[in-house]
Amino acid sequence: LICFKHFEERFIEREHKAVRPDGSILVVPRKSPILTPDAFPSIFPNLPSYLTKELPPKRKAPEERIIAFEKRREEEFMQWSADDKIKDYEDFVQNFEKKLPDQWIVIHKKDNIFIGKQDLSDSPTFLVSILISKELSIKVWHNNVQVDPLKLKWLLGNNCKCLFWTAFECLLSHLNGYKNHFDNATNLANAVVFLKKFIDDSSDETTNEKISFLCQQLELSSLNVPRYKPEMLLWASNFYFNYPAAYRLLRNSGKLTLPHPYYLKTLLQNIGNLEAGVWKVPTSSTWRRS
């Protein structure tokens, strides 16, 4: 005979459960409760109190613990995602300064915010500056040269907008590594940017054509495999087929990056075949010939 007063309720089975063929569970009260296989006495009311110990909560089955863990992790991730999202411009204005390192300067304007990192090594200038608009779109300058938005696509997405706090923090960390000087490739790219901006602001077509040609030459000089624009191919073809000796002399001098004569002949042949209704697909080696 066992006294149930010495056992916690978790060790006492007062119901009998059975699974029906349809999957439902039949529960029937037991006339005589029984103990679970892992039961042991832990309550001794008539003995010293130190013999009676409150047992820790019963552990769930491994399957239940895994499900609970996955659910808890999913809830934490959803909460983190919600907290990471920048709701609107007002939310950004109220909280962005908490994310800024000490060396950054903030200037509030009516419809945007300017954030800059100063460089005091020589003359006081902004090494890096960020402009955040009311639509949360971002523009970045490095040494007063605007950074191509495509270079920030991996951080801010296609629209170059700051929609998440983690993206903003990663952007600051990325820009914090910018140095005061440019390498040769960056200097060349910046020169092209300045020249193209001049073309956009100028109305002198003759000058714009000259500068556009210069921009193409600068861009070609930085490519391992030249990619010629249509206007360059048209100009080079006209030059070569009218003055082949002068074209070869200029090309061989290395002063300009020009298409190979074989490339121009093949291109003209394909254009002729196209006009005749026969298209000969050029090989990759033909199109990439420099």
Side-chain angles (χ1 to χ4, degrees):
L1 182 63
I2 300 176
C3 180
F4 288 104
K5 294 181 180 180
H6 297 295
F7 296 88
E8 288 197 0
E9 190 63 29
R10 72 171 79 171
F11 297 131
I12 303 173
E13 291 187 2
R14 301 182 183 277
E15 297 174 337
H16 179 76
K17 298 180 181 180
V19 181
R20 294 191 179 99
D22 61 356
S24 60
I25 299 177
L26 174 65
V27 180
V28 179
R30 292 180 181 272
K31 293 182 179 180
S32 300
I34 63 173
L35 296 175
T36 60
D38 59 342
F40 61 89
S42 60
I43 302 174
F44 305 99
N46 297 324
L47 295 177
S49 59
Y50 67 85
L51 294 176
T52 300
K53 295 182 179 180
E54 184 178 354
L55 298 180
K58 184 179 179 180
R59 296 191 68 185
K60 297 180 180 179
E63 296 79 8
E64 294 180 358
R65 293 202 301 271
I66 293 175
I67 294 174
F69 173 75
E70 294 291 342
K71 182 179 179 181
R72 185 169 60 253
R73 188 169 63 174
E74 181 69 19
E75 291 174 352
E76 291 174 353
F77 175 76
M78 295 300 294
Q79 183 62 42
W80 175 84
S81 299
D83 295 339
D84 185 52
K85 188 174 182 180
I86 301 175
K87 300 178 180 62
D88 49 31
Y89 182 72
E90 286 70 23
D91 181 32
F92 182 84
V93 171
Q94 293 176 4
N95 298 290
F96 82 96
E97 293 191 56
K98 302 174 185 176
K99 316 285 184 181
L100 284 178
D102 296 335
Q103 65 268 29
W104 291 80
I105 296 176
V106 179
I107 300 176
H108 291 267
K109 296 185 178 181
K110 182 179 179 181
D111 296 326
N112 51 55
I113 296 175
F114 175 84
I115 306 173
K117 181 182 178 182
Q118 282 188 315
D119 176 30
L120 304 177
S121 59
D122 190 7
S123 58
T125 58
F126 281 106
L127 175 61
V128 179
S129 52
I130 309 171
L131 187 67
I132 302 99
S133 70
K134 210 164 187 177
E135 293 76 26
L136 296 178
S137 60
I138 284 185
K139 294 181 180 179
V140 178
W141 286 264
H142 179 204
N143 279 347
N144 297 323
V145 178
Q146 185 173 357
V147 178
D148 187 351
L150 293 177
K151 294 183 178 180
L152 303 175
K153 181 179 177 180
W154 64 281
L155 277 171
L156 303 174
N158 295 330
N159 297 327
C160 207
K161 288 189 175 183
C162 188
L163 303 178
F164 301 95
W165 291 114
T166 49
F168 180 66
E169 292 175 349
C170 289
L171 176 65
L172 293 176
S173 177
H174 174 66
L175 298 179
N176 200 44
Y178 278 24
K179 298 180 180 179
N180 189 26
H181 61 278
F182 295 120
D183 54 23
N184 292 334
T186 305
N187 283 328
L188 189 61
N190 290 339
V192 174
V193 171
F194 279 121
L195 291 173
K196 288 183 177 180
K197 188 176 185 304
F198 177 86
I199 294 174
D200 294 336
D201 297 338
S202 175
S203 58
D204 188 344
E205 294 184 3
T206 303
T207 303
N208 289 347
E209 288 180 1
K210 295 178 181 178
I211 296 179
S212 178
F213 183 86
L214 177 59
C215 286
Q216 293 183 49
Q217 287 298 307
L218 291 175
E219 291 173 337
L220 288 169
S221 65
S222 62
L223 298 177
N224 294 326
V225 180
R227 298 288 183 179
Y228 300 100
K229 295 184 178 180
E231 54 268 24
M232 171 64 75
L233 292 173
L234 182 62
W235 177 85
S237 299
N238 189 31
F239 185 7
Y240 172 71
F241 290 112
N242 283 283
Y243 310 100
Y247 183 88
R248 287 192 176 91
L249 179 64
L250 182 59
R251 185 179 185 278
N252 294 336
S253 69
K255 304 297 183 182
L256 295 178
T257 304
L258 299 174
H260 194 281
Y262 179 80
Y263 179 92
L264 297 176
K265 292 178 182 178
T266 305
L267 181 64
L268 185 63
Q269 179 184 0
N270 288 326
I271 294 175
N273 291 335
L274 180 61
E275 292 177 350
V278 180
W279 172 245
K280 179 182 178 182
V281 180
T283 62
S284 58
S285 60
T286 301
W287 283 105
R288 294 189 179 186
R289 185 180 293 272
S290 61

